[in-house]
Amino acid sequence: MNRSELIITIKDKANLSRKNAEKVVDTFFDAIKETLSTGERVEIRGFGSFAVKNYKPYIGRNPKTGVQINVPSKKLPFFKAGKELKEMVDRPF
Amino acid sequence: MTLTKAQLVDLIQKETDLSRKKSLVLVESLLEIIKQTLANGEDVLISGFGKFCVKEKNERKGRNPATGDDMMLAPRKVVTFRCSPMLKKTIDS
């Protein structure tokens, strides 16, 4: 399922206009994105949480040539599935 | 501050001009659709954000760390999140 299928599904399920359905989906993911970009966490009960991990810079090495390179510090987002989602996916009914 | 469901509801209410009650229903439906899709084994791809994937884990040998007993861990399904390059860029900058 992709973004536009998600929009259509919620539009039909909740009896929304196409425009509002789009707003719901986009606002939802944009808010998560913005929160993560400030380094903060997102926690949605029953679904899961998003957090940003900070990586320190380190000196890496190309395993093929042995050339050293500096790997700059970076931030990466991580998702952890919540209890309810985990159980739903592992034991579908 | 951590982003939670309540704030997502507020944002969606502001954006759509619908009632707060309806906005809450919409957030719940959106989460339900995503969870149900994953429970059916289907991935959810939101371009510009990321992809929620269902991954099948094979059966593997494990050990009870308390007793040291060998045991077989049953095959299971887990949800993973792959962030889109665009999300990565937003967070890292």
Side-chain angles (χ1 to χ4, degrees):
Chain A
M1 181 181 276
N2 58 27
R3 175 180 163 276
S4 52
E5 286 164 339
L6 190 56
I7 288 168
I8 291 166
T9 310
I10 194 161
K11 171 184 165 290
D12 295 343
K13 192 176 171 187
N15 228 337
L16 284 178
S17 65
R18 161 96 203 174
K19 205 172 169 189
N20 270 347
E22 246 171 58
K23 277 183 181 171
V24 170
V25 172
D26 289 343
T27 306
F28 184 87
F29 290 107
D30 286 349
I32 295 176
K33 200 191 283 188
E34 267 167 47
T35 304
L36 291 175
S37 72
T38 67
E40 312 236 29
R41 279 166 52 80
V42 179
E43 201 175 309
I44 302 164
R45 284 287 144 88
F47 182 70
S49 60
F50 295 88
V52 177
K53 272 189 200 168
N54 283 300
Y55 288 86
K56 287 182 193 152
Y58 60 93
I59 296 168
R61 202 184 286 267
N62 180 330
K64 220 177 218 166
T65 62
V67 178
Q68 290 196 345
I69 42 162
N70 289 313
V71 182
S73 66
K74 59 187 168 189
K75 293 179 193 164
L76 289 175
F78 279 89
F79 173 72
K80 194 176 164 216
K83 192 166 178 248
E84 200 192 318
L85 177 59
K86 267 190 199 166
E87 287 172 357
M88 272 177 89
V89 170
D90 202 26
R91 287 179 203 79
F93 29 83
Chain B
M1 222 178 56
T2 307
L3 181 72
T4 58
K5 206 187 281 174
Q7 286 149 284
L8 285 165
V9 173
D10 287 342
L11 288 167
I12 283 169
Q13 202 234 311
K14 239 183 262 171
E15 205 55 46
T16 57
D17 251 333
L18 294 164
S19 72
R20 191 174 156 88
K21 205 172 160 187
K22 177 80 176 169
S23 305
L24 175 62
V25 172
L26 290 174
V27 171
E28 298 285 5
S29 323
L30 181 61
L31 291 169
E32 203 47 52
I33 294 165
I34 298 173
K35 284 195 279 191
Q36 205 55 61
T37 306
L38 293 169
N40 293 339
E42 198 188 325
D43 295 346
V44 177
L45 170 71
I46 311 294
S47 54
F49 184 80
K51 186 178 180 187
F52 297 93
C53 307
V54 181
K55 210 170 158 185
E56 308 239 4
K57 295 270 200 181
N58 287 329
E59 179 185 58
R60 67 184 172 90
K61 242 190 240 168
R63 197 175 290 235
N64 180 333
T67 62
D69 291 344
D70 281 339
M71 53 197 280
M72 251 356 225
L73 299 178
R76 63 197 176 107
K77 286 189 206 161
V78 294
V79 178
T80 58
F81 175 70
R82 289 184 54 96
C83 80
S84 92
M86 216 199 280
L87 177 66
K88 200 168 156 185
K89 221 171 127 192
T90 311
I91 288 172
D92 207 18
S93 61

